[in-house]
């Protein structure tokens, strides 16, 4: 059974950076594409970024493109989200989700078949 745990969230000032990690256990991530989602209070959960199971394809929401970078390290069984130039609109709970053989052909959606989810990590951007 694949289990996902997010970490790395916290409080940062506008313009700051954070690096989120999604650590997997119970199985390797080799066969899973990974997506990052975020959800602000009272808002819908939205797709942020994804990376294919092969690691060869990535996609980003327009709101984070150029500021966020997703990567995977299969040897460590983790997927990371480097977040730079953070602004208050990035404040949300960030979740990672896994889908078997996910190719990441577009911006991830909660309507897609993501079976495995982490518990989320809070990111707060405030001065």
């Amino acid at each position: 059974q694949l289990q996902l745990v997010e970490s790395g969230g916290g409080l940062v000032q506008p313009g700051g950076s954070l690096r989120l990690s999604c650590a997997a256990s119970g199985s390797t991530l080799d066969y899973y594409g990974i997506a990052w989602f975020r959800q602000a209070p009272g808002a819908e959960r939205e797709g942020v970024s994804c990376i294919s199971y092969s690691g060869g394809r990535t996609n980003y929401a327009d709101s984070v493109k150029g500021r966020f970078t997703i990567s995977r390290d299969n040897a460590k069984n983790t997927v990371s989200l480097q977040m730079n130039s953070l602004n208050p609109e990035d404040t949300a709970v960030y979740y990672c989700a896994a889908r078997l053989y996910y190719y990441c052909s577009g911006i991830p959606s909660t309507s897609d078949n993501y079976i495995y989810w982490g518990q989320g990590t809070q990111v707060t951007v405030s001065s």
Side-chain angles (χ1 to χ4, degrees):
Q1 178 68 40
L2 181 66
Q3 297 174 322
L4 304 175
V5 178
E6 303 94 336
S7 63
L11 174 64
V12 297
Q13 295 184 2
S17 298
L18 283 174
R19 186 176 180 87
L20 306 183
S21 294
C22 177
S25 62
S27 182
T28 69
L29 288 177
D30 294 17
Y31 314 119
Y32 293 89
I34 302 295
W36 283 95
F37 295 84
R38 67 185 182 185
Q39 187 168 22
E44 296 182 346
R45 190 171 299 186
E46 63 176 345
V48 176
S49 180
C50 61
I51 185 167
S52 63
Y53 69 96
S54 67
R57 179 181 290 271
T58 59
N59 273 293
Y60 300 90
D62 289 341
S63 59
V64 307
K65 191 174 299 182
R67 300 187 297 120
F68 291 10
T69 302
I70 190 171
S71 61
R72 65 188 303 150
D73 188 340
N74 286 354
K76 297 181 178 180
N77 220 24
T78 61
V79 172
S80 297
L81 184 68
Q82 179 67 44
M83 306 186 297
N84 298 326
S85 301
L86 289 165
N87 58 63
E89 288 69 38
D90 297 316
T91 296
V93 177
Y94 284 71
Y95 301 87
C96 63
R99 193 170 85 184
L100 194 64
Y101 302 122
Y102 181 45
Y103 192 64
C104 186
S105 58
I107 300 171
S109 170
T110 55
S111 64
D112 296 331
N113 187 26
Y114 294 98
I115 299 176
Y116 306 101
W117 291 81
Q119 85 290 346
T121 184
Q122 176 71 49
V123 172
T124 302
V125 185
S126 176
S127 59

